[in-house]
Each structure stands twice: as C-alpha cells, then as structure tokens.
Coordinates of all heavy atoms in Angstrom, one line a residue:
A297 N -3.7 -5.1 -9.0 CA -3.7 -3.7 -8.5 C -3.0 -3.6 -7.2 O -2.3 -2.6 -6.9 CB -5.2 -3.2 -8.4
A298 N -3.1 -4.6 -6.4 CA -2.4 -4.6 -5.1 C -0.9 -4.6 -5.3 O -0.2 -3.8 -4.6 CB -2.8 -5.8 -4.3
I299 N -0.4 -5.3 -6.3 CA 1.0 -5.3 -6.6 C 1.4 -3.9 -7.0 O 2.5 -3.4 -6.6 CB 1.4 -6.3 -7.7 CG1 1.1 -7.7 -7.1 CG2 2.8 -6.2 -8.2 CD1 1.2 -8.8 -8.2
L300 N 0.6 -3.3 -7.9 CA 1.0 -2.0 -8.4 C 0.9 -0.8 -7.4 O 1.6 0.1 -7.4 CB 0.1 -1.7 -9.7 CG 0.4 -2.6 -10.9 CD1 -0.7 -2.3 -12.0 CD2 1.8 -2.5 -11.4
L301 N -0.2 -0.9 -6.5 CA -0.5 0.2 -5.7 C 0.1 0.0 -4.2 O 0.5 1.0 -3.6 CB -2.0 0.4 -5.6 CG -2.6 0.7 -6.9 CD1 -4.2 0.7 -6.8 CD2 -2.2 2.1 -7.4
V302 N 0.0 -1.2 -3.7 CA 0.4 -1.5 -2.3 C 1.9 -1.6 -2.2 O 2.5 -1.0 -1.3 CB -0.3 -2.7 -1.8 CG1 0.2 -3.0 -0.4 CG2 -1.8 -2.6 -1.8
R303 N 2.6 -2.3 -3.1 CA 4.0 -2.6 -3.0 C 4.9 -1.3 -2.9 O 5.7 -1.3 -2.0 CB 4.5 -3.4 -4.1 CG 5.9 -3.8 -4.0 CD 6.4 -4.8 -5.1 NE 5.7 -6.1 -4.9 CZ 6.0 -7.2 -5.6 NH1 6.8 -7.1 -6.7 NH2 5.4 -8.3 -5.4
P304 N 4.6 -0.3 -3.7 CA 5.5 0.9 -3.5 C 5.4 1.6 -2.1 O 6.4 2.0 -1.6 CB 5.0 1.9 -4.6 CG 4.4 1.0 -5.6 CD 3.8 -0.1 -4.9
A305 N 4.2 1.6 -1.6 CA 4.0 2.1 -0.2 C 4.7 1.2 0.8 O 5.3 1.7 1.8 CB 2.5 2.3 0.1
L306 N 4.6 -0.1 0.6 CA 5.2 -1.0 1.5 C 6.7 -0.9 1.5 O 7.3 -0.9 2.5 CB 4.7 -2.4 1.1 CG 4.8 -3.5 2.2 CD1 3.9 -3.1 3.4 CD2 4.3 -4.8 1.6
F307 N 7.3 -0.8 0.3 CA 8.7 -0.7 0.2 C 9.2 0.6 0.8 O 10.3 0.7 1.3 CB 9.1 -0.8 -1.3 CG 9.2 -2.2 -1.8 CD1 8.5 -3.2 -1.2 CD2 9.9 -2.5 -2.9 CE1 8.5 -4.5 -1.6 CE2 10.0 -3.8 -3.4 CZ 9.3 -4.8 -2.7
A308 N 8.4 1.7 0.7 CA 8.8 3.0 1.3 C 8.6 3.0 2.8 O 9.0 4.0 3.4 CB 8.0 4.1 0.6
G309 N 8.0 2.0 3.4 CA 7.8 2.0 4.8 C 6.5 2.8 5.2 O 6.3 3.1 6.4
D310 N 5.7 3.1 4.3 CA 4.4 3.9 4.6 C 3.3 2.8 4.7 O 2.5 2.6 3.8 CB 4.1 4.8 3.4 CG 3.0 5.8 3.8 OD1 2.3 5.5 4.8 OD2 2.8 6.8 3.0
Y311 N 3.3 2.2 5.9 CA 2.4 1.1 6.2 C 0.9 1.5 6.2 O 0.0 0.7 5.8 CB 2.8 0.4 7.4 CG 4.2 0.0 7.4 CD1 5.1 0.4 8.5 CD2 4.8 -0.8 6.4 CE1 6.4 0.1 8.4 CE2 6.1 -1.1 6.4 CZ 6.9 -0.7 7.4 OH 8.3 -1.0 7.4
E312 N 0.6 2.7 6.6 CA -0.8 3.1 6.7 C -1.3 3.3 5.3 O -2.5 3.0 5.0 CB -0.9 4.4 7.5 CG -0.6 4.2 9.0 CD -1.3 3.1 9.6 OE1 -2.6 3.0 9.4 OE2 -0.7 2.3 10.3
R313 N -0.5 3.9 4.4 CA -1.0 4.1 3.0 C -1.2 2.7 2.4 O -2.1 2.5 1.6 CB 0.0 4.9 2.2 CG -0.4 5.2 0.8 CD 0.4 6.4 0.2 NE 1.8 6.2 0.2 CZ 2.5 5.8 -0.8 NH1 1.9 5.4 -2.0 NH2 3.8 5.6 -0.8
A314 N -0.3 1.8 2.6 CA -0.4 0.5 2.1 C -1.7 -0.2 2.5 O -2.4 -0.9 1.7 CB 0.8 -0.4 2.4
M315 N -2.0 -0.1 3.8 CA -3.2 -0.7 4.4 C -4.4 -0.1 3.8 O -5.4 -0.8 3.5 CB -3.2 -0.6 5.9 CG -4.3 -1.3 6.5 SD -4.2 -3.1 6.3 CE -2.9 -3.6 7.4
R316 N -4.4 1.2 3.5 CA -5.6 1.9 2.9 C -5.9 1.3 1.5 O -7.0 1.1 1.2 CB -5.4 3.4 2.8 CG -5.5 4.1 4.2 CD -5.7 5.6 4.0 NE -4.6 6.2 3.3 CZ -3.5 6.7 4.0 NH1 -3.4 6.6 5.3 NH2 -2.5 7.3 3.3
W317 N -4.8 1.1 0.8 CA -5.0 0.5 -0.6 C -5.6 -0.9 -0.5 O -6.5 -1.3 -1.2 CB -3.7 0.4 -1.3 CG -3.4 1.7 -2.0 CD1 -2.3 2.5 -1.8 CD2 -4.2 2.4 -3.0 NE1 -2.4 3.6 -2.6 CE2 -3.5 3.6 -3.4 CE3 -5.4 2.1 -3.7 CZ2 -4.0 4.4 -4.4 CZ3 -5.9 2.9 -4.6 CH2 -5.2 4.1 -5.0
V318 N -5.1 -1.7 0.5 CA -5.6 -3.1 0.7 C -7.1 -3.0 1.0 O -7.9 -3.8 0.5 CB -4.9 -3.8 1.8 CG1 -5.6 -5.1 2.2 CG2 -3.4 -4.2 1.3
R319 N -7.5 -2.2 1.9 CA -8.9 -2.1 2.3 C -9.8 -1.6 1.2 O -10.9 -2.1 1.0 CB -9.0 -1.1 3.5 CG -8.3 -1.6 4.8 CD -9.1 -2.6 5.5 NE -8.3 -3.3 6.5 CZ -7.9 -2.9 7.7 NH1 -8.3 -1.6 8.1 NH2 -7.2 -3.6 8.5
R320 N -9.3 -0.7 0.3 CA -10.1 -0.2 -0.8 C -10.3 -1.3 -1.8 O -11.3 -1.4 -2.5 CB -9.3 1.0 -1.5 CG -9.4 2.2 -0.7 CD -8.4 3.3 -1.2 NE -8.4 4.5 -0.4 CZ -7.5 5.4 -0.6 NH1 -6.5 5.3 -1.5 NH2 -7.5 6.5 0.2

C-alpha cells in the first residue's frame, strides 16, 4: 500500500501528503 499510495505523492514533491500516508 505504501508503494501504491506514498510513491505518487513523493514523486510529485508533495511530501506532506506522502508523510500522512506513511503515518496512516
């Protein structure tokens, strides 16, 4: 799920959204 949900936000440079997914 991290690969599917975090990576797109990370690649887009949206680090806060990526971190929210990691915490969830």
Side-chain angles (χ1 to χ4, degrees):
I299 293 173
L300 295 174
L301 299 172
V302 176
R303 183 174 290 182
L306 203 58
F307 279 22
D310 190 347
Y311 306 123
E312 294 309 313
R313 179 160 63 95
M315 186 63 76
R316 284 197 298 272
W317 277 119
V318 168
R319 296 280 165 78
R320 288 168 183 167

